[in-house]
CSV table of all heavy atoms in Angstrom, one decimal:
chain,number,residue,atom,x,y,z
A,149,PHE,N,71.1,113.5,134.2
A,149,PHE,CA,72.2,112.9,134.8
A,149,PHE,C,72.3,113.0,136.3
A,149,PHE,O,72.6,112.1,137.0
A,149,PHE,CB,73.5,113.5,134.2
A,149,PHE,CG,74.8,112.9,134.7
A,149,PHE,CD1,75.3,111.7,134.2
A,149,PHE,CD2,75.5,113.6,135.7
A,149,PHE,CE1,76.5,111.2,134.7
A,149,PHE,CE2,76.6,113.1,136.2
A,149,PHE,CZ,77.1,111.9,135.7
A,150,ALA,N,71.9,114.2,136.8
A,150,ALA,CA,71.8,114.4,138.2
A,150,ALA,C,70.8,113.5,138.9
A,150,ALA,O,71.0,113.0,140.0
A,150,ALA,CB,71.6,115.9,138.5
A,151,ILE,N,69.6,113.4,138.2
A,151,ILE,CA,68.6,112.5,138.8
A,151,ILE,C,69.1,111.1,138.9
A,151,ILE,O,68.9,110.3,139.9
A,151,ILE,CB,67.3,112.6,137.9
A,151,ILE,CG1,66.6,113.9,138.2
A,151,ILE,CG2,66.4,111.4,138.2
A,151,ILE,CD1,65.9,114.1,139.5
A,152,MET,N,69.8,110.6,137.8
A,152,MET,CA,70.3,109.3,137.8
A,152,MET,C,71.4,109.1,138.9
A,152,MET,O,71.4,108.1,139.6
A,152,MET,CB,71.0,108.9,136.5
A,152,MET,CG,71.6,107.5,136.4
A,152,MET,SD,72.8,107.4,135.1
A,152,MET,CE,74.1,108.5,135.7
A,153,PHE,N,72.2,110.1,139.0
A,153,PHE,CA,73.3,110.1,140.1
A,153,PHE,C,72.6,110.0,141.5
A,153,PHE,O,73.1,109.2,142.3
A,153,PHE,CB,74.0,111.5,139.9
A,153,PHE,CG,74.8,111.9,141.1
A,153,PHE,CD1,76.0,111.2,141.4
A,153,PHE,CD2,74.4,112.9,142.0
A,153,PHE,CE1,76.8,111.6,142.5
A,153,PHE,CE2,75.2,113.3,143.1
A,153,PHE,CZ,76.4,112.6,143.3
A,154,GLU,N,71.6,110.7,141.7
A,154,GLU,CA,70.9,110.6,143.0
A,154,GLU,C,70.2,109.3,143.2
A,154,GLU,O,70.4,108.7,144.3
A,154,GLU,CB,69.8,111.7,143.1
A,154,GLU,CG,70.4,113.1,143.1
A,154,GLU,CD,69.3,114.2,143.2
A,154,GLU,OE1,68.7,114.3,144.3
A,154,GLU,OE2,69.0,114.8,142.2
A,155,ALA,N,69.5,108.8,142.2
A,155,ALA,CA,68.8,107.5,142.3
A,155,ALA,C,69.8,106.4,142.6
A,155,ALA,O,69.5,105.5,143.3
A,155,ALA,CB,67.9,107.3,141.1
A,156,LEU,N,71.0,106.4,141.9
A,156,LEU,CA,71.9,105.4,142.1
A,156,LEU,C,72.5,105.4,143.5
A,156,LEU,O,72.7,104.4,144.2
A,156,LEU,CB,73.1,105.6,141.1
A,156,LEU,CG,72.9,105.1,139.7
A,156,LEU,CD1,74.1,105.4,138.9
A,156,LEU,CD2,72.5,103.6,139.6
A,157,PHE,N,72.7,106.6,144.1
A,157,PHE,CA,73.1,106.7,145.5
A,157,PHE,C,72.1,106.0,146.4
A,157,PHE,O,72.5,105.2,147.3
A,157,PHE,CB,73.1,108.2,145.9
A,157,PHE,CG,74.5,108.8,146.0
A,157,PHE,CD1,75.2,109.2,144.9
A,157,PHE,CD2,75.0,108.9,147.3
A,157,PHE,CE1,76.4,109.8,145.0
A,157,PHE,CE2,76.3,109.4,147.4
A,157,PHE,CZ,77.0,109.9,146.3
A,158,ILE,N,70.8,106.2,146.1
A,158,ILE,CA,69.8,105.7,147.0
A,158,ILE,C,69.6,104.2,146.8
A,158,ILE,O,69.5,103.4,147.7
A,158,ILE,CB,68.5,106.5,146.8
A,158,ILE,CG1,68.7,108.0,147.1
A,158,ILE,CG2,67.3,105.9,147.6
A,158,ILE,CD1,67.6,108.9,146.6
A,159,LEU,N,69.5,103.8,145.5
A,159,LEU,CA,69.2,102.4,145.2
A,159,LEU,C,70.3,101.5,145.8
A,159,LEU,O,70.1,100.3,146.2
A,159,LEU,CB,69.0,102.2,143.7
A,159,LEU,CG,67.7,102.7,143.2
A,159,LEU,CD1,67.7,102.5,141.7
A,159,LEU,CD2,66.5,102.2,143.8
A,160,THR,N,71.6,101.9,145.7
A,160,THR,CA,72.6,101.1,146.2
A,160,THR,C,72.6,100.9,147.7
A,160,THR,O,73.0,99.9,148.3
A,160,THR,CB,74.0,101.6,145.8
A,160,THR,OG1,74.1,103.0,146.1
A,160,THR,CG2,74.3,101.5,144.3
A,161,THR,N,72.0,101.9,148.4
A,161,THR,CA,71.7,101.8,149.8
A,161,THR,C,70.5,100.9,150.1
A,161,THR,O,70.5,100.1,151.1
A,161,THR,CB,71.5,103.1,150.5
A,161,THR,OG1,72.6,104.0,150.0
A,161,THR,CG2,71.6,103.0,152.0
A,162,ILE,N,69.5,101.0,149.2
A,162,ILE,CA,68.3,100.1,149.4
A,162,ILE,C,68.7,98.7,149.2
A,162,ILE,O,68.3,97.8,150.1
A,162,ILE,CB,67.3,100.5,148.3
A,162,ILE,CG1,66.7,101.9,148.5
A,162,ILE,CG2,66.2,99.4,148.2
A,162,ILE,CD1,65.7,101.9,149.7
A,163,ASP,N,69.5,98.3,148.2
A,163,ASP,CA,69.8,96.9,148.0
A,163,ASP,C,70.7,96.4,149.1
A,163,ASP,O,70.5,95.3,149.7
A,163,ASP,CB,70.4,96.6,146.6
A,163,ASP,CG,71.6,97.4,146.3
A,163,ASP,OD1,72.4,97.9,147.2
A,163,ASP,OD2,71.8,97.7,145.1
A,164,ALA,N,71.8,97.2,149.5
A,164,ALA,CA,72.6,96.7,150.6
A,164,ALA,C,71.9,96.7,151.9
A,164,ALA,O,72.1,95.8,152.7
A,164,ALA,CB,73.9,97.7,150.7
A,165,GLY,N,71.0,97.7,152.1
A,165,GLY,CA,70.3,97.8,153.4
A,165,GLY,C,69.3,96.6,153.6
A,165,GLY,O,69.2,96.1,154.7
A,166,THR,N,68.6,96.3,152.5
A,166,THR,CA,67.7,95.2,152.5
A,166,THR,C,68.4,93.9,152.8
A,166,THR,O,68.0,93.0,153.6
A,166,THR,CB,66.9,95.1,151.2
A,166,THR,OG1,66.2,96.3,151.0
A,166,THR,CG2,65.9,94.0,151.3
A,167,ARG,N,69.6,93.7,152.2
A,167,ARG,CA,70.4,92.5,152.4
A,167,ARG,C,70.9,92.5,153.9
A,167,ARG,O,70.9,91.4,154.5
A,167,ARG,CB,71.6,92.5,151.5
A,167,ARG,CG,72.3,91.2,151.4
A,167,ARG,CD,73.5,91.2,150.4
A,167,ARG,NE,74.0,89.9,150.2
A,167,ARG,CZ,73.6,89.0,149.3
A,167,ARG,NH1,72.5,89.4,148.5
A,167,ARG,NH2,74.1,87.9,149.1
A,168,ILE,N,71.3,93.6,154.4
A,168,ILE,CA,71.7,93.7,155.8
A,168,ILE,C,70.6,93.3,156.7
A,168,ILE,O,70.7,92.6,157.7
A,168,ILE,CB,72.3,95.1,156.2
A,168,ILE,CG1,73.6,95.3,155.4
A,168,ILE,CG2,72.5,95.2,157.7
A,168,ILE,CD1,74.1,96.7,155.4
A,169,GLY,N,69.4,93.9,156.4
A,169,GLY,CA,68.2,93.5,157.2
A,169,GLY,C,67.9,92.1,157.2
A,169,GLY,O,67.5,91.5,158.2
A,170,ARG,N,68.1,91.5,156.0
A,170,ARG,CA,67.9,90.0,155.9
A,170,ARG,C,68.8,89.3,156.8
A,170,ARG,O,68.4,88.3,157.5
A,170,ARG,CB,68.1,89.6,154.4
A,170,ARG,CG,68.1,88.1,154.1
A,170,ARG,CD,68.9,87.8,152.9
A,170,ARG,NE,69.8,86.7,153.1
A,170,ARG,CZ,70.7,86.3,152.2
A,170,ARG,NH1,70.9,87.0,151.1
A,170,ARG,NH2,71.5,85.3,152.4
A,171,PHE,N,70.1,89.6,156.8
A,171,PHE,CA,71.1,89.0,157.7
A,171,PHE,C,70.7,89.1,159.1
A,171,PHE,O,70.7,88.1,159.9
A,171,PHE,CB,72.5,89.6,157.5
A,171,PHE,CG,73.2,89.3,156.2
A,171,PHE,CD1,74.1,90.2,155.6
A,171,PHE,CD2,72.9,88.1,155.5
A,171,PHE,CE1,74.7,89.9,154.4
A,171,PHE,CE2,73.5,87.8,154.3
A,171,PHE,CZ,74.5,88.7,153.8
A,172,LEU,N,70.3,90.3,159.5
A,172,LEU,CA,69.9,90.5,160.9
A,172,LEU,C,68.7,89.7,161.3
A,172,LEU,O,68.7,89.0,162.4
A,172,LEU,CB,69.5,92.0,161.1
A,172,LEU,CG,70.7,93.0,161.1
A,172,LEU,CD1,70.2,94.4,161.0
A,172,LEU,CD2,71.6,92.8,162.3
A,173,LEU,N,67.7,89.6,160.4
A,173,LEU,CA,66.5,88.8,160.7
A,173,LEU,C,66.8,87.3,160.8
A,173,LEU,O,66.3,86.6,161.6
A,173,LEU,CB,65.4,89.1,159.7
A,173,LEU,CG,64.0,88.5,160.0
A,173,LEU,CD1,63.5,88.8,161.3
A,173,LEU,CD2,63.0,88.9,158.9
A,174,GLN,N,67.7,86.9,159.9
A,174,GLN,CA,68.1,85.5,159.9
A,174,GLN,C,68.8,85.1,161.1
A,174,GLN,O,68.7,84.0,161.7
A,174,GLN,CB,68.9,85.2,158.6
A,174,GLN,CG,68.1,85.0,157.4
A,174,GLN,CD,68.9,84.5,156.2
A,174,GLN,OE1,69.2,85.2,155.3
A,174,GLN,NE2,69.1,83.2,156.2
A,175,GLU,N,69.7,86.0,161.6
A,175,GLU,CA,70.5,85.8,162.8
A,175,GLU,C,69.5,85.6,164.0
A,175,GLU,O,69.7,84.8,164.8
A,175,GLU,CB,71.4,86.9,163.1
A,175,GLU,CG,72.7,86.8,162.2
A,175,GLU,CD,73.7,88.0,162.5
A,175,GLU,OE1,73.3,88.8,163.4
A,175,GLU,OE2,74.7,88.1,161.9
A,176,THR,N,68.5,86.5,164.0
A,176,THR,CA,67.5,86.5,165.1
A,176,THR,C,66.7,85.2,165.1
A,176,THR,O,66.5,84.5,166.1
A,176,THR,CB,66.6,87.7,165.1
A,176,THR,OG1,67.4,88.9,165.1
A,176,THR,CG2,65.7,87.8,166.2
A,177,LEU,N,66.2,84.9,163.9
A,177,LEU,CA,65.3,83.7,163.7
A,177,LEU,C,66.1,82.4,163.9
A,177,LEU,O,65.6,81.4,164.3
A,177,LEU,CB,64.6,83.7,162.4
A,177,LEU,CG,63.6,84.8,162.1
A,177,LEU,CD1,63.1,84.7,160.7
A,177,LEU,CD2,62.5,84.7,163.1
A,178,GLY,N,67.5,82.5,163.7
A,178,GLY,CA,68.3,81.3,163.8
A,178,GLY,C,68.4,80.8,165.3
A,178,GLY,O,68.7,79.7,165.5
A,179,ARG,N,68.1,81.7,166.2
A,179,ARG,CA,68.1,81.3,167.6
A,179,ARG,C,66.8,80.4,167.9
A,179,ARG,O,66.8,79.7,168.9
A,179,ARG,CB,68.1,82.5,168.5
A,179,ARG,CG,69.3,83.4,168.4
A,179,ARG,CD,69.3,84.5,169.4
A,179,ARG,NE,70.5,85.3,169.3
A,179,ARG,CZ,70.5,86.5,168.7
A,179,ARG,NH1,69.4,86.9,168.1
A,179,ARG,NH2,71.6,87.2,168.6
A,180,VAL,N,65.8,80.6,167.0
A,180,VAL,CA,64.6,79.7,167.2
A,180,VAL,C,64.7,78.5,166.4
A,180,VAL,O,64.3,77.4,166.8
A,180,VAL,CB,63.3,80.6,166.8
A,180,VAL,CG1,62.1,79.7,167.0
A,180,VAL,CG2,63.3,81.8,167.7
A,181,TYR,N,65.1,78.6,165.1
A,181,TYR,CA,65.2,77.5,164.2
A,181,TYR,C,66.6,77.6,163.5
A,181,TYR,O,66.8,78.5,162.7
A,181,TYR,CB,64.1,77.5,163.2
A,181,TYR,CG,64.1,76.4,162.2
A,181,TYR,CD1,64.0,75.0,162.7
A,181,TYR,CD2,64.2,76.6,160.8
A,181,TYR,CE1,64.0,74.0,161.8
A,181,TYR,CE2,64.2,75.5,159.9
A,181,TYR,CZ,64.1,74.2,160.4
A,181,TYR,OH,64.1,73.2,159.5
A,182,ALA,N,67.5,76.7,163.8
A,182,ALA,CA,68.9,76.9,163.4
A,182,ALA,C,69.2,77.2,161.9
A,182,ALA,O,70.0,78.0,161.6
A,182,ALA,CB,69.7,75.6,163.9
A,183,PRO,N,68.5,76.5,161.0
A,183,PRO,CA,68.8,76.7,159.6
A,183,PRO,C,68.7,78.2,159.2
A,183,PRO,O,69.3,78.7,158.2
A,183,PRO,CB,67.8,75.9,158.8
A,183,PRO,CG,67.5,74.7,159.8
A,183,PRO,CD,67.5,75.4,161.1
A,184,PHE,N,67.8,79.0,159.8
A,184,PHE,CA,67.6,80.4,159.5
A,184,PHE,C,68.9,81.1,159.7
A,184,PHE,O,69.2,82.2,159.1
A,184,PHE,CB,66.5,81.0,160.4
A,184,PHE,CG,65.1,80.9,159.8
A,184,PHE,CD1,64.2,80.2,160.4
A,184,PHE,CD2,64.8,81.6,158.6
A,184,PHE,CE1,62.9,80.1,159.8
A,184,PHE,CE2,63.6,81.5,158.1
A,184,PHE,CZ,62.6,80.7,158.7
A,185,GLY,N,69.7,80.7,160.6
A,185,GLY,CA,71.0,81.4,161.0
A,185,GLY,C,72.0,81.3,159.9
A,185,GLY,O,73.1,81.9,159.9
A,186,ARG,N,71.8,80.4,158.9
A,186,ARG,CA,72.8,80.2,157.8
A,186,ARG,C,72.4,81.2,156.6
A,186,ARG,O,71.3,81.0,156.0
A,186,ARG,CB,72.7,78.8,157.2
A,186,ARG,CG,73.1,77.7,158.3
A,186,ARG,CD,73.6,76.4,157.6
A,186,ARG,NE,72.9,76.1,156.4
A,186,ARG,CZ,71.9,75.2,156.3
A,186,ARG,NH1,71.5,74.6,157.4
A,186,ARG,NH2,71.3,74.9,155.2
A,187,PRO,N,73.3,82.1,156.3
A,187,PRO,CA,72.9,83.1,155.3
A,187,PRO,C,72.7,82.5,153.9
A,187,PRO,O,72.1,83.1,153.1
A,187,PRO,CB,74.2,84.0,155.2
A,187,PRO,CG,74.8,83.9,156.6
A,187,PRO,CD,74.6,82.4,157.0
A,188,ASP,N,73.3,81.3,153.7
A,188,ASP,CA,73.2,80.6,152.4
A,188,ASP,C,72.0,79.7,152.3
A,188,ASP,O,71.8,79.0,151.2
A,188,ASP,CB,74.4,79.9,152.0
A,188,ASP,CG,74.8,78.8,153.1
A,188,ASP,OD1,74.2,78.8,154.1
A,188,ASP,OD2,75.7,78.0,152.8
A,189,TRP,N,71.1,79.7,153.3
A,189,TRP,CA,69.9,78.8,153.2
A,189,TRP,C,68.8,79.6,152.5
A,189,TRP,O,68.3,80.6,153.0
A,189,TRP,CB,69.4,78.5,154.6
A,189,TRP,CG,68.3,77.4,154.7
A,189,TRP,CD1,68.3,76.2,154.0
A,189,TRP,CD2,67.1,77.5,155.4
A,189,TRP,NE1,67.2,75.5,154.3
A,189,TRP,CE2,66.4,76.3,155.1
A,189,TRP,CE3,66.5,78.5,156.2
A,189,TRP,CZ2,65.1,76.1,155.7
A,189,TRP,CZ3,65.3,78.2,156.7
A,189,TRP,CH2,64.6,77.0,156.5
A,190,LEU,N,68.5,79.1,151.3
A,190,LEU,CA,67.6,79.9,150.4
A,190,LEU,C,66.2,80.1,150.9
A,190,LEU,O,65.7,81.3,150.8
A,190,LEU,CB,67.5,79.1,149.0
A,190,LEU,CG,66.7,79.9,147.9
A,190,LEU,CD1,67.4,81.2,147.6
A,190,LEU,CD2,66.6,79.0,146.6
A,191,PRO,N,65.5,79.2,151.5
A,191,PRO,CA,64.2,79.5,152.1
A,191,PRO,C,64.2,80.6,153.1
A,191,PRO,O,63.4,81.5,153.2
A,191,PRO,CB,63.7,78.2,152.7
A,191,PRO,CG,64.4,77.1,151.9
A,191,PRO,CD,65.8,77.7,151.6
A,192,GLY,N,65.3,80.6,154.0
A,192,GLY,CA,65.4,81.6,155.0
A,192,GLY,C,65.7,83.0,154.3
A,192,GLY,O,65.2,84.0,154.8
A,193,SER,N,66.5,83.0,153.3
A,193,SER,CA,66.9,84.2,152.6
A,193,SER,C,65.6,84.8,152.0
A,193,SER,O,65.4,86.0,152.1
A,193,SER,CB,67.9,83.9,151.5
A,193,SER,OG,69.1,83.4,152.1
């Protein structure tokens, strides 16, 4: 149970962190190619 507790702590940061990193990269690339700046553009995501 403790191992699951720890892993859940970490995985929820992994998924949120990767999503945040995706937003940041899309914002940066959006200055070069505008569609990248839209978070709902699937190829950019």
Side-chain angles (χ1 to χ4, degrees):
F149 178 81
I151 287 290
M152 179 201 67
F153 164 76
E154 295 177 74
L156 282 179
F157 254 83
I158 298 164
L159 289 179
T160 49
T161 311
I162 291 286
D163 55 28
T166 304
R167 193 177 190 88
I168 290 166
R170 172 203 137 189
F171 288 152
L172 290 169
L173 186 56
Q174 283 190 257
E175 283 181 0
T176 304
L177 295 176
R179 297 187 181 97
V180 179
Y181 182 59
F184 272 112
R186 300 204 318 263
D188 58 348
W189 190 50
L190 186 60
S193 301

